[in-house]
Amino acid sequence: MGNKQTIFTDEQLDAYQDCTFFTRKEILRLHGRYHELAPHLVPMDYTKDPDCKLPLALIVNMPELKENPFRNRIVESFSEDGMGNLSFNEFVDMFSVLSEMAPRELKAIYAFKIYDFNVDNYLCKEDLEKTLNKLTKEELTPEEVELVCQKAIEEADLDGDNKLSFADFENMITRAPDFLSTFHIRI
Amino acid sequence: MPRDSLITSESDIDVGLELAGDEDEFSSHPEEHERERHRGKRREGDREKKKRGHGKRRKASRSREREEEVQARPDKRERERRRRAKSDRETGGRQRDEEGKAKIKSGKVAKTKKNITNEKTKKQEEEEESEDRNAKGKKKHGSAKKEEKQEDGGRHREKEKTKEVKKKKHKKVVETSSEQETSEQEDNGEEDNEEKEVRPESLTPEELERLKEAVDDRKKLIQVLRGKPWPMKKKLVTLRESQQFVEKYEGALGKGKGRKLYVYKVMMTKKWMKFQRDFENFRTACIPWEMKIKEIESHFGSSVASYFIFLRWMYGINMILFGLTFGLVMVPEALMGRPYGSIPRKTVPRAEEASAMDFAVLWDFGGYAQYSVLFYGYYNNQRAIGWLKFRMPLSYFLVGVGTVAYSYMVVIRTMARNANESGVGDDNSFNFSWKVFTSWDYLIGNPETADNKFASITTSFKEAILEEQESCKDDNIHLTRFLRVLANFLVLCCLAGSGYLIYFVVRRSQKFALDGLENHTWWERNEVNMVMSLLGMFCPMLFDVISALENYHPRVALQWQLGRIFALFLGNLYTFIIALMDEINLKREEENIVKFNITTWEASFYNGTVSENSTGLPFTVQPADVPRGPCWETMVGQEFVRLIISDTMTTYITLLIGDFLRAVFVRFLNHCWCWDLEAGFPSYSEFDVSGNVLGLIFNQGMIWMGAFYAPCLPALNVLRLHVSMYLQCWAVMCCNVPQERVFKASGSNNFYMAMLLVILFLSTLPAIYTIVTIPPSFDCGPFSGKKRMFDVIQETLESDFPAWFSKVFSYASNPGLVLPFILLMILAIYYLQSTSKSYKEANVELKKKLQTQNEENKKKNKRAALKAQMDLEEARKAAEQQQNNKASLQDQEADVEENHGSSQSLSHGKNGRNPPPHVRDQELPATRAPVPRTYHHGNHGTPGHLPGFPRQSEHRMYRVPSLQRH
C-alpha cells in the first residue's frame, strides 16, 4: 500500500494490531470494505483520524451481514451511541470480536449484548421471543414460542429470577459446542 | 493519532453516556439530580480542558468510571459525590483492575466519607483546575487503586509537575488517600522523594521494584488489550497511555549501574515482539485460499466450509511431509547419488526398455518412473554419498520414522486443542437455550442458504417441542427392530462381499503378473485399483439405501452411515494389505531363486572368460543386462501409488459426472422434460461433507502406509489436494445446492480427528511390521545387504559415533533397562487415567450439587419475590399516605411509582431476581419504615449489570450486605 497512498501510519497499524485480532493486511482490507460502503463519505486517508460515521442502514447491507437475522442488533451493540452509527474504530472492533481468533469470553460478552434487545442487561422473555421470532421467521405459533422461551429460561437461569443475567448466559454459552464455530464472521 | 477525532467526537460520547446513565438510573432520581449538577459542572471544566488538549483521556476514563459506578454504586449520596471527586483524581489506573479495586474502594470510602463530604464541595473547584495540570501524570501511573500504586502515582505526578505548589499537593494527598495511615505514608514518601524522583537512578530498590511492577503491569495490559470488551476508542487510548508510560519509565529503570541487563532484556523483548508480529503477518499472508473458503462459508454455512478447512489443514501437513522427503531423501539422492544407469538397480532392465517410455508410465509408474528417485529400489546402499558425506540410508530411515512421528504429533495436538475449544458439549441440560442462542450460523451470507437455515431451525425447534411434550409414540416397535436387524445384516453382507471381491481380484492379478502383464488388457492390469475405487464409490450409496429401512433420526442415521463407510474402507484397505503381504512372500521366494540364478550366472560368466582376479564384473556387461531380484519394496510402493492415482481419478470423475453433468442435465433439460427436474428426482446434488472427509482421511492413510516405500507419495498427495481444492471449490459453487438439513460439523470435528488418528495408527502398523520383520531385498534400496532395515541405526552408531556412545546406547537398550521403563510408563498412564476419572466424577458430583442448589434457589426466590411484591404494594400505600406529610419524600415517592409501573410485567422477576433482596428482606426488621425499604428496592432495580464486566454480579452480592449497615 505504501507506494500508492498511506491510509494509516505505521503506528496506527501497530496500534490496531495491538487492539484487535487482525493482521496488518486485514486491517487494510477492512478499511477497504469500510470505504466501499460509502466512497464519498469515508476518506482514503486515515492518518489524521477523521471523524466519520456510517449509518446502520449502510453497514447492514454488507453481504456478510445481510442475511443475518440479528444484523441490526449486531451493529447497534457495537456502536457507541447505540443507534447503529459506526465509526471505523467501531467497525474494526465489530469484526475483531467476530473474528475467528477472538476468545470465547469476549464473544460471549458481545453475544449477550446482541441478544439483549431492550438493552436492560438481562435477557428476559421478551428478548428471547424476539430472538426466536427472528430465528424462525415467525413460523412458530405463539404457544410454541412461549414454551421454548420458558424452557430456555428454565434451563439456563441459575438464580431463579426468570431472566438470564450475563452470568447465566455465560455459563450456558461456554458449554455450547458450536458457539465458537458459528459466532464468527470472516471478513 | 486518534487524538483529534477523540476531541471532536467528545460531545457525543457524553451524550451516549448520559443516555446510558439515564437508563441505568431510571429508578433513582435524587441521585440523578445530584449527578446532573455535577455533570454540568464538569462539562464546563471539560470545555476548558478541551482547549488544552488533555480532556479526552479523562473523558474516556471517566466514562468507564461512571459505568462502573453505576454498577456498583451503593445509594449513598455523599458517597456518590465523594466518589465523583475521587474519580477525577484517580482516572489513570482505573481501567486496570476493575474488580478488586471496587472492593477496596468501598471499604475505604466507608471510613472516610464523613470528614470529606464537607470539604468536598469547596475543593471541587480547585480540583477542576489542578486536574488539568495533573492530567498527564495521573493517567500514566499504574494501577493507582492499590495503595502502593497510589504512592507510585503520586510520585509520578510530582515528577511531572515539580513546579507545583507543594502545599496544594499535600492537601490533595490527604484527600486522595482515604485511609489516614496511607495518606501519612504517602506524605512522607512524597516529601522524601520529592527531589529524588526526578532522577530515577537514586530510587530505592523497593521503589524501583514497584515501578518495575507497574511497568510490567502495563505491558501485560498491552498484551491482553485485544481481549478486553471495551470500545475501540478506549482501547486505543489505553494502549497509547500504557505505551507512553512503559517507554518513559522503562528508560528510567534502565539508567542504574547494574541495570544494563534489564535494558538489554527490554530491548530484546521489544525486538522479539516486533519480529513476532511481522512473522504473524507473514504467516497469515501465507495461508492460502482464505477468500475461497470465505465465499463457500457464506454460501453454504460452516459445515461445508469445515470440509475445505480440513482439506487445507491436510494440505499443510502433506506439504511438510513432502518437504521432509523431498529435502532429505529425494534431492540428495538426485544430486549426489550415483547417476542413472551407473549400477543395475538404477537402470531399466533390458527386457523393459522397449516400453519404458510408454504413455502408460504416467499412471502405471513403471518404466523410467520405477527406476528413479520416486521409488525405494533406486536408492543405493552406499553409506555416505557426495562431498557432504550425506548418510543416505540413515536419512532414508529417519525420514520414514519422522514422517510418522510428525503426523502423530500434529494429529494429537490438534485433537487436544479442539477438545479445549469445543466446550463440554455432551450434556443435554441446555438443549433449548443452545438452540436459541447458537443455532444461527453467522457465516451465512447467501439468501438461499439463509432460507434453508431458517427452515431447518424451525423444524429443529418443532422437533424439540414435540420431544419435550411427549416421548415419541412408537408405531410398531417389532417391525422397526426387524428392519434394523435386516439392514445391519445386509450391510455386513456388503462388507464381506467387498472384502472377498478385493481379495479375489488381488489374487487374480498376481496370476496375471506371473503370466506377464503384456498379454492382458488394460482392465486386467488395473483391476485391483479400479475395483477398490468402484467399491468405495458405490457401497456408500448402497448403505444409504439400506439405511432408509432403519428409520433412525437423521443424526443417528448419519453416524451409522459414517461408521459403515469407515468399516468398508478399512476392510478394503486391510484386505488389500493382506493380499499385498501374500505377494511380498511370493516375491521373496522369487528373489531366492533369482539369487541362486545370479550366482550361477556369475559363475558361468567367469568360467566363460579368462579367469582373471575377481575384481567385479567385466566392463563388457551393461548394467541393464544384469539379472536382478524382483525388489518387493518397489512393488509395494508402486501398488500404493497406483491406488492413489486411481482413487484420485475416480474422485474427480464422480465429481464431474455426478455433480457437474447432473447439474447441466437438470438445468438445461428442465424445460423440455415431463416433470420438474430441479425439484423432483435428480435435482441438484448436495455436498456430502462426511463422505468427502472420510475419503480424505483414507487417502491420507494410504499415504502414510506407502510413503516409506515410495518417497514420491507425499508429493503426489500435495498435487492431488491442490487440484481437488480448486476443483471441489469450483464444483461446490457451481453445481451444488445448500444442504437442506444442516448438520453441525464442528461438533464432530474431533470425531473426524479421532478417525484420522485411528487410520494413522492402522496404517503405520503394516508399514512398521514390514520394516521390522521382513528382510530388505538383496539388490535394491538403501538397506540392501542388511538383515533388517533398522540395522542402519546400529551401523551408524558403530561407525559414526565415538565408542562410548554406542556402549551407552547398548546399555540403555538392554531389556533390564527397557522393561522397567515401559513398566513405569504403564504405571504413569494408569495413574493419569485414574486421576482423570476421579476428576470426572467430581465434576459430575459438583454439577449435581449445583443443580440442586439452583432448584433450591429458585424456590426460595419465588417465595422472596412474592413477599417483595407484597412489600412493594404496602410500601406504595404507605408512601402515598406520607406524601401529604413529607414534602422531602417526593422524589423517592416518584421513584417508587415509577419502579412499580415499569416493573409491572416483570415485577415477579425483578424484585426477586437474585439472592440479595431476599437476604435483605430477611435481615431487615419488619418494623422498619416502608419508605427506605422501597428506596432500596428501587435502587436495586437499577440494572447496573453491564455485560462488559462479568464479575459484577459477584460484586453486587458482595456489597449488598454492607449496604444495610449504613
Side-chain angles (χ1 to χ4, degrees):
Chain A
M1 282 280 163
N3 48 358
K4 272 192 253 163
Q5 185 182 3
T6 42
I7 300 174
F8 297 107
T9 60
D10 276 350
E11 294 85 59
Q12 274 178 312
L13 281 174
D14 276 345
Y16 277 127
Q17 286 181 60
D18 271 328
C19 293
T20 64
F21 296 94
F22 289 126
T23 60
R24 200 187 158 83
K25 195 175 138 198
E26 285 163 325
I27 289 162
L28 290 172
R29 188 158 71 217
L30 271 172
H31 178 266
R33 297 297 306 272
Y34 190 68
H35 179 79
E36 232 171 64
L37 290 175
H40 51 285
L41 282 179
V42 182
M44 272 315 273
D45 178 17
Y46 252 78
T47 49
K48 300 277 186 309
D49 261 309
D51 176 38
C52 139
K53 290 196 167 201
L54 293 188
L56 177 123
L58 277 178
I59 292 163
V60 151
N61 262 332
M62 292 176 71
E64 281 84 1
L65 292 173
K66 212 166 161 194
E67 298 302 328
N68 198 318
F70 306 112
R71 53 187 176 272
N72 289 357
R73 278 304 304 155
I74 298 174
V75 177
E76 274 163 24
S77 41
F78 281 95
S79 73
E80 204 153 13
D81 54 7
M83 302 300 291
N85 297 321
L86 290 194
S87 66
F88 179 65
N89 279 341
E90 290 150 6
F91 185 77
V92 173
D93 207 19
M94 175 165 85
F95 283 107
S96 165
V97 168
L98 287 169
S99 77
E100 230 174 339
M101 309 291 295
R104 192 184 275 271
E105 301 80 45
L106 187 65
K107 280 175 183 263
I109 290 167
Y110 281 96
F112 183 82
K113 282 190 185 172
I114 286 170
Y115 294 124
D116 183 12
F117 282 81
N118 50 11
V119 209
D120 63 352
N121 292 312
Y122 285 99
L123 297 183
C124 48
K125 207 164 210 173
E126 213 183 308
D127 294 324
L128 281 178
E129 274 166 15
K130 276 190 189 160
T131 310
L132 204 54
N133 281 333
K134 287 202 182 259
L135 267 182
T136 56
K137 287 199 165 167
E138 307 190 16
E139 273 176 29
L140 295 182
T141 62
E143 295 83 52
E144 284 170 329
V145 171
E146 174 75 11
L147 181 82
V148 172
C149 292
Q150 195 59 47
K151 282 280 163 201
I153 288 180
E154 243 170 57
E155 284 165 1
D157 186 15
L158 292 184
D159 46 20
D161 57 358
N162 260 334
K163 49 187 176 178
L164 307 184
S165 65
F166 178 68
D168 298 335
F169 182 77
E170 195 185 26
N171 175 45
M172 179 266 296
I173 211 81
T174 44
R175 292 167 198 212
D178 36 32
F179 172 62
L180 270 192
S181 62
T182 55
F183 193 77
H184 85 89
I185 294 179
R186 211 182 282 262
I187 186 77
Chain B
M1 261 176 22
R3 188 166 280 215
D4 308 87
S5 81
L6 284 175
I7 292 172
T8 44
S9 58
E10 196 166 314
S11 51
D12 43 42
I13 311 176
D14 218 1
V15 175
L17 283 170
E18 268 176 44
L19 268 178
D22 287 342
E23 274 167 314
D24 288 339
E25 288 159 39
F26 65 96
S27 53
S28 54
H29 276 266
E31 282 164 38
E32 190 61 16
H33 296 318
E34 189 75 29
R35 251 169 181 252
E36 212 54 64
R37 246 188 290 140
H38 281 293
R39 213 176 277 164
K41 225 186 263 172
R42 256 194 292 152
R43 224 174 284 149
E44 282 165 35
D46 286 345
R47 242 164 263 146
E48 298 170 26
K49 279 168 232 156
K50 238 184 269 176
K51 280 173 219 151
R52 294 177 216 189
H54 286 311
K56 68 240 149 106
R57 279 192 215 162
R58 191 174 308 109
K59 262 303 176 166
S61 42
R62 190 182 290 159
S63 72
R64 216 174 301 133
E65 171 75 15
R66 210 178 298 165
E67 277 173 9
E68 198 184 301
E69 265 175 76
V70 168
Q71 295 164 41
R73 174 169 30 86
D75 23 315
K76 276 277 187 181
R77 244 175 279 169
E78 304 100 324
R79 186 168 170 179
E80 176 71 25
R81 228 194 291 151
R82 152 105 186 94
R83 213 198 271 188
R84 167 96 1 100
K86 232 181 143 171
S87 75
D88 287 340
R89 261 175 277 122
E90 293 177 341
T91 36
R94 270 289 158 151
Q95 50 267 61
R96 334 266 323 277
D97 34 10
E98 268 124 350
E99 305 102 33
K101 187 187 4 179
K103 284 179 206 163
I104 297 170
K105 193 182 208 171
S106 69
K108 263 194 251 163
V109 172
K111 279 189 204 166
T112 50
K113 65 182 172 268
K114 277 172 223 150
N115 12 340
I116 296 163
T117 39
N118 302 331
E119 309 165 18
K120 192 68 259 104
T121 34
K122 244 195 297 170
K123 270 167 197 165
Q124 200 128 33
E125 281 89 273
E126 317 173 8
E127 205 51 55
E128 306 275 28
E129 299 160 16
S130 57
E131 229 168 40
D132 301 334
R133 273 172 282 147
N134 287 343
K136 224 193 275 166
K138 261 181 270 162
K139 260 159 248 140
K140 296 240 167 79
H141 65 68
S143 54
K145 242 11 224 177
K146 294 169 204 155
E147 275 142 84
E148 67 266 24
K149 294 287 154 64
Q150 230 168 28
E151 262 178 272
D152 248 353
R155 260 194 284 130
H156 305 326
R157 203 186 304 159
E158 271 172 275
K159 197 170 164 188
E160 289 272 312
K161 309 276 157 191
T162 27
K163 304 160 247 168
E164 201 175 20
V165 195
K166 204 177 170 186
K167 229 199 281 173
K168 198 171 188 175
K169 208 187 322 163
H170 194 87
K171 215 198 285 170
K172 212 183 303 147
V173 169
V174 177
E175 266 176 47
T176 327
S177 57
S178 25
E179 275 171 83
Q180 293 304 328
E181 314 94 75
T182 38
S183 76
E184 271 162 29
Q185 266 180 25
E186 209 170 276
D187 277 0
N188 296 341
E190 280 185 7
E191 273 158 293
D192 293 347
N193 294 335
E194 175 88 285
E195 285 85 20
K196 285 187 209 163
E197 275 143 13
V198 191
R199 301 179 307 273
E201 56 267 33
S202 57
L203 284 177
T204 62
E206 45 192 289
E207 280 162 342
L208 257 183
E209 259 328 288
R210 262 182 233 146
L211 196 56
K212 231 180 237 177
E213 236 170 67
V215 168
D216 285 347
D217 278 354
R218 286 289 175 144
K219 277 191 203 157
K220 240 177 261 164
L221 176 69
I222 291 177
Q223 267 169 10
V224 297
L225 195 61
R226 60 182 66 172
K228 298 267 184 203
W230 302 337
M232 180 63 81
K233 202 173 278 176
K234 184 171 153 193
K235 279 196 245 178
L236 286 173
V237 170
T238 317
L239 174 73
R240 207 184 41 224
E241 278 167 14
S242 312
Q243 275 172 345
Q244 278 171 1
F245 179 84
V246 168
E247 229 157 76
K248 181 149 195 177
Y249 293 107
E250 214 163 49
L253 283 174
K255 271 176 202 152
K257 319 136 218 164
R259 292 167 199 140
K260 273 204 172 136
L261 187 70
Y262 183 77
V263 181
Y264 181 72
K265 241 166 49 187
V266 165
M267 206 180 68
M268 284 322 282
T269 42
K270 229 181 240 171
K271 287 234 165 97
W272 174 239
M273 297 272 280
K274 176 104 179 64
F275 170 76
Q276 263 182 326
R277 164 157 305 162
D278 287 347
F279 183 72
E280 192 64 24
N281 280 348
F282 172 73
R283 220 185 48 152
T284 44
C286 284
I287 293 177
W289 303 311
E290 196 69 10
M291 295 320 283
K292 259 186 189 319
I293 287 177
K294 189 205 154 188
E295 204 181 334
I296 289 170
E297 255 176 359
S298 74
H299 233 87
F300 295 93
S302 55
S303 65
V304 172
S306 73
Y307 165 73
F308 286 94
I309 291 173
F310 187 67
L311 179 61
R312 187 173 65 178
W313 183 79
M314 246 4 172
Y315 184 77
I317 289 185
N318 277 291
M319 272 308 244
I320 290 181
L321 296 189
F322 166 68
L324 271 180
T325 46
F326 192 73
L328 292 177
V329 173
M330 286 162 84
V331 168
E333 175 69 30
L335 290 182
M336 300 185 285
R338 291 200 184 173
Y340 173 82
S342 54
I343 44 174
R345 72 181 68 178
K346 295 196 175 194
T347 321
V348 177
R350 188 70 70 202
E352 291 172 31
E353 248 172 21
S355 63
M357 279 296 270
D358 280 3
F359 189 66
V361 167
L362 275 185
W363 61 79
D364 266 353
F365 280 80
Y368 282 110
Q370 188 181 347
Y371 299 93
S372 70
V373 282
L374 303 183
F375 290 101
Y376 173 94
Y378 180 79
Y379 294 82
N380 198 0
N381 62 349
Q382 199 179 353
R383 221 171 64 75
I385 56 170
W387 49 273
L388 275 178
K389 297 262 172 270
F390 191 80
R391 307 294 194 262
M392 194 59 218
L394 181 70
S395 163
Y396 195 99
F397 187 78
L398 288 185
V399 164
V401 174
T403 306
V404 173
Y406 172 77
S407 312
Y408 269 113
M409 201 186 73
V410 168
V411 173
I412 289 175
R413 213 179 47 190
T414 316
M415 275 181 84
R417 208 176 45 217
N418 279 357
N420 276 344
E421 270 178 8
S422 62
V424 209
D426 48 346
D427 64 337
N428 220 17
S429 51
F430 295 117
N431 189 9
F432 277 98
S433 15
W434 282 347
K435 275 211 170 71
V436 173
F437 292 118
T438 65
S439 54
W440 182 260
D441 195 341
Y442 278 62
L443 292 162
I444 291 175
N446 176 35
E448 201 182 341
T449 319
D451 280 345
N452 281 353
K453 189 75 189 174
F454 280 127
S456 84
I457 289 175
T458 312
T459 44
S460 85
F461 270 119
K462 289 208 162 138
E463 267 171 24
I465 290 169
L466 268 184
E467 255 171 57
E468 189 64 32
Q469 276 166 350
E470 53 194 316
S471 49
C472 54
K473 39 204 174 286
D474 277 346
D475 29 16
N476 191 346
I477 190 82
H478 293 296
L479 182 65
T480 349
R481 268 189 200 154
F482 170 73
L483 283 179
R484 283 178 189 177
V485 170
L486 182 70
N488 278 319
F489 178 71
L490 288 178
V491 168
L492 275 182
C493 287
C494 278
L495 290 180
S498 74
Y500 178 72
L501 191 61
I502 289 174
Y503 192 76
F504 173 76
V505 168
V506 173
R507 292 310 287 269
R508 210 160 78 119
S509 78
Q510 284 162 8
K511 213 166 64 198
F512 292 150
L514 283 183
D515 293 352
L517 281 176
E518 299 76 37
N519 319 328
H520 296 283
T521 57
W522 179 84
W523 169 258
E524 279 170 337
R525 269 180 283 150
N526 295 286
E527 208 172 32
V528 182
N529 311 319
M530 291 315 290
V531 165
M532 277 188 74
S533 306
L534 288 178
L535 279 177
M537 203 165 83
F538 287 110
C539 277
M541 291 183 196
L542 208 60
F543 292 160
D544 215 10
V545 174
I546 291 172
S547 74
L549 283 178
E550 292 179 307
N551 197 19
Y552 277 125
H553 183 275
R555 187 161 305 138
V556 184
L558 182 77
Q559 277 164 2
W560 276 96
Q561 175 81 352
L562 279 183
R564 282 166 188 165
I565 299 178
F566 191 77
L568 172 81
F569 282 5
L570 207 62
N572 290 358
L573 210 57
Y574 261 70
T575 353
F576 177 72
I577 288 164
I578 289 169
L580 263 187
M581 287 290 184
D582 277 356
E583 209 168 328
I584 289 174
N585 287 335
L586 280 181
K587 292 263 176 190
R588 289 189 50 225
E589 279 165 25
E590 195 187 324
E591 196 179 274
N592 285 336
I593 298 168
V594 169
K595 233 181 191 169
F596 177 75
N597 282 349
I598 286 178
T599 38
T600 51
W601 175 75
E602 273 177 11
S604 67
F605 200 81
Y606 288 133
N607 289 342
T609 53
V610 190
S611 61
E612 251 178 282
N613 291 335
S614 54
T615 48
L617 297 174
F619 51 91
T620 46
V621 181
Q622 294 286 317
D625 295 326
V626 177
R628 59 184 85 172
C631 196
W632 60 268
E633 291 96 336
T634 298
M635 185 271 297
V636 172
Q638 256 177 321
E639 287 297 331
F640 276 106
V641 170
R642 282 180 202 152
L643 201 60
I644 294 285
I645 299 255
S646 71
D647 188 49
T648 312
M649 285 305 151
T650 23
T651 314
Y652 292 165
I653 288 169
T654 12
L655 201 73
L656 284 179
I657 294 176
D659 285 349
F660 182 65
L661 285 187
R662 180 166 152 190
V664 167
F665 173 76
V666 169
R667 166 64 58 86
F668 292 105
L669 290 183
N670 196 26
H671 54 270
C672 52
W673 203 261
C674 25
W675 67 82
D676 187 7
L677 287 173
E678 281 184 353
F681 162 59
S683 91
Y684 299 106
S685 54
E686 285 179 5
F687 189 78
D688 174 20
V689 178
S690 48
N692 276 302
V693 170
L694 272 186
L696 212 57
I697 288 175
F698 273 88
N699 174 50
Q700 193 59 39
M702 288 188 256
I703 302 293
W704 279 322
M705 235 186 263
F708 189 76
Y709 297 117
C712 64
L713 267 184
L716 266 181
N717 203 30
V718 165
L719 204 68
R720 173 211 160 117
L721 292 179
H722 198 98
V723 173
S724 49
M725 187 79 196
Y726 283 98
L727 199 64
Q728 286 192 308
C729 271
W730 163 77
V732 88
M733 291 303 284
C734 114
C735 36
N736 283 13
V737 287
Q739 291 157 308
E740 258 171 57
R741 297 199 67 109
V742 186
F743 291 105
K744 294 159 200 154
S746 60
S748 40
N749 243 349
N750 247 1
F751 176 67
Y752 290 133
M753 278 293 161
M755 270 187 185
L756 195 63
L757 191 67
V758 170
I759 286 295
L760 176 55
F761 178 73
L762 290 178
S763 58
T764 45
L765 262 192
I768 290 176
Y769 174 78
T770 50
I771 289 172
V772 171
T773 55
I774 303 179
S777 310
F778 74 100
D779 67 342
C780 70
F783 310 114
S784 55
K786 295 193 177 61
K787 261 212 186 99
R788 293 278 184 265
M789 290 180 191
F790 54 82
D791 282 347
V792 69
I793 299 275
Q794 211 177 352
E795 187 197 71
T796 313
L797 278 177
E798 274 164 13
S799 50
D800 285 346
F801 283 91
W804 60 266
F805 193 87
S806 65
K807 214 176 231 172
V808 168
F809 192 80
S810 69
Y811 282 138
S813 64
N814 88 342
L817 267 174
V818 171
L819 280 183
F821 184 69
I822 291 176
L823 212 64
L824 200 70
M825 290 223 296
I826 291 174
L827 283 181
I829 290 172
Y830 177 72
Y831 171 74
L832 288 179
Q833 211 208 348
S834 56
T835 44
S836 82
K837 206 187 261 172
S838 70
Y839 281 143
K840 241 179 227 165
E841 271 165 22
N843 235 347
V844 171
E845 202 68 18
L846 282 177
K847 211 180 270 173
K848 255 186 219 160
K849 259 184 203 165
L850 205 67
Q851 266 169 355
T852 50
Q853 192 88 22
N854 288 345
E855 302 275 303
E856 264 174 39
N857 271 357
K858 273 182 197 169
K859 274 182 209 156
K860 253 192 213 168
N861 281 318
K862 234 168 230 173
R863 258 183 284 135
L866 275 178
K867 203 178 161 199
Q869 206 173 4
M870 273 156 59
D871 283 350
L872 197 69
E873 284 292 315
E874 197 183 302
R876 198 164 64 107
K877 277 174 204 156
E880 270 163 12
Q881 281 174 7
Q882 283 183 358
Q883 196 180 23
N884 307 326
N885 309 336
K886 279 192 180 180
S888 63
L889 279 178
Q890 269 174 352
D891 289 6
Q892 290 159 7
E893 173 63 24
D895 185 28
V896 172
E897 287 281 3
E898 192 188 87
N899 184 31
H900 188 72
S902 69
S903 62
Q904 205 90 65
S905 58
L906 305 165
S907 59
H908 173 76
K910 195 163 221 162
N911 289 314
R913 185 172 60 237
N914 41 28
H918 171 64
V919 171
R920 188 174 54 238
D921 282 344
Q922 283 183 339
E923 269 188 29
L924 284 174
T927 53
R928 193 162 166 177
V931 174
R933 193 190 298 173
T934 52
Y935 181 67
H936 269 293
H937 271 301
N939 205 320
H940 199 80
T942 53
H945 185 176
L946 280 181
F949 303 94
R951 301 283 161 75
Q952 198 268 328
S953 61
E954 281 128 57
H955 278 218
R956 217 177 336 145
M957 311 257 282
Y958 181 89
R959 326 182 89 198
V960 165
S962 76
L963 276 185
Q964 284 129 39
R965 264 168 242 136
H966 42 66

